[in-house]
Each structure stands twice: as C-alpha cells, then as structure tokens.
Amino acid sequence: MLFPTKVVELNPRDNEHIKRLNDPAEAGLFHLEAWLPFSEAAKLDRGNANVRPASERKKPFRDMVDTVEKSPSTFHLKNRGIIYRCDKFEFDNKRTVLRVTVPDISPDDLDDLENDTPKYGIADGGHTFEVIQQTMARINELREREGWPEPFVRVHFLAGQAFDIGELEQLVEALNTSSQVQQFTLDEYQNKFDELKDALQKG
C-alpha cells in the first residue's frame, strides 16, 4: 500500500553544520548528520518509529533540562542527539535548506495503524525531543534572558529502503536498550575515588 508523503523544510544555520555520510556496509542506506537549532529540530514529526513515552522523572531528562537552563551552548556536546528515520532527505546548499520527506500520517492516527504502515520519525532520542518541545513552549521567556543562546542538537537522518518494519523495530530496540554509563563509572574515570582507595589500602 502506498502512503502519501510530505516534505518538512528545515533551515540549518550554516552549510558546515550538514554532512552526508556513506554507509560502510553499502546496505542501501543513506545518512546525513546535522547540527540543528532547537527551533528547527522542533519542526520534525515525532512519528511512529519509537512510541515509548519520555519519562520526565529520570535523571537524564532532568539533566538535559538543567543544561538548557544553565549552559545551553553545551547541549549538543553533552547530548548524543536524535536518530531520525525518513523516506529521503535533500540538502540545498545554495539556500541552506534541508528537505526531509516523511509519510503524511495524522498524529491522531499513528496509534491505530496497521502493521504495513511505514515507520518513520524518532528511532532514538525521544527524551531529547521532548526536552526540545518543552523548551520551544517557553522559548520567548528564555530568549529574554541575558546571554542565553538557543541550543543546538545533533540529528542523524537515516533514509533508504533497506529496512522493513521488523528490521526497523530491531534497530529501535537496540538503540533504546543500550546501557547508559553509570555515574559511579564516570566518577572512577575522573579519579574521584583515589582518596578512598588509599585509605582502604592503608587500613
């Protein structure tokens, strides 16, 4: 069954913020990496590739909100970004316009669709996207703060016909079950336990 499509136009701030990547497995997939300001990333549809709701109570979510508030210029460095499944993408470097083609499905219909419905949208980064949407809901207030720059986010666009629905679901599952580095591991990496180790060895 063929589904209608629509094109979402995004405006990166700079042509140098866009990079096409060749798939190393030559698997019929096409990749594009983009640094997008929040106001542009928010134009994307969430889609139905990953229907898990964001959990605002979890520490990573709260940390992202804190970064937006206190150090927005570092958001793209601290956050792994979004992987976005689409039909195709096209970048017009003369106009600095990125056109992303996705299925034209009403958000109200996404939950009631049959298995042959094309999967598209956010495969990974649902929490990040929720932070972006919440930020845009109060963007005018934030922009009035002295020295507050709009944050950027990395979006990895993935296009091509190599995935059937089952394969895409496996990809989404793999991306969303990857283990987050625990805080104590980061502390150990930064040698924060050296004094304790010395004390235990002397005891």
Side-chain angles (χ1 to χ4, degrees), residues 126-181:
H127 287 83
T128 298
F129 192 66
E130 179 63 26
V131 169
I132 291 170
Q133 290 183 313
Q134 290 188 14
T135 301
M136 293 311 301
R138 52 192 290 257
I139 192 68
N140 291 333
E141 168 209 332
L142 292 167
R143 283 175 172 161
E144 289 177 359
R145 296 183 182 180
E146 185 177 353
W148 187 88
E150 181 179 346
F152 279 74
V153 63
R154 179 186 68 87
V155 182
H156 183 111
F157 293 94
L158 182 61
Q161 301 303 317
F163 284 128
D164 62 24
I165 290 176
E167 288 173 324
L168 181 60
E169 288 174 349
Q170 289 175 16
L171 172 67
V172 170
E173 185 69 23
L175 290 169
N176 286 275
T177 55
S178 59
S179 297
Q180 180 181 358
V181 177

Side-chain angles (χ1 to χ4, degrees), residues 62-155:
R62 299 197 309 270
D63 287 347
M64 282 189 276
V65 172
D66 192 60
T67 299
V68 168
E69 291 276 342
K70 298 177 181 176
S71 57
S73 62
T74 69
F75 188 90
H76 65 289
L77 301 174
K78 296 177 178 178
N79 182 273
R80 68 181 183 182
I82 293 169
I83 295 181
Y84 196 87
R85 176 76 173 100
C86 59
D87 284 353
K88 65 179 181 178
F89 50 74
E90 179 185 23
F91 182 54
D92 181 345
N93 60 5
K94 292 183 179 178
R95 296 178 54 223
T96 316
V97 173
L98 174 61
R99 297 183 186 89
V100 181
T101 302
V102 295
D104 190 7
I105 303 171
S106 166
D108 296 333
D109 296 333
L110 287 178
D111 294 334
D112 301 323
L113 296 171
E114 299 176 1
N115 287 336
D116 62 346
T117 302
K119 301 286 187 181
Y120 79 99
I122 296 171
D124 185 45
H127 287 83
T128 298
F129 192 66
E130 179 63 26
V131 169
I132 291 170
Q133 290 183 313
Q134 290 188 14
T135 301
M136 293 311 301
R138 52 192 290 257
I139 192 68
N140 291 333
E141 168 209 332
L142 292 167
R143 283 175 172 161
E144 289 177 359
R145 296 183 182 180
E146 185 177 353
W148 187 88
E150 181 179 346
F152 279 74
V153 63
R154 179 186 68 87
V155 182

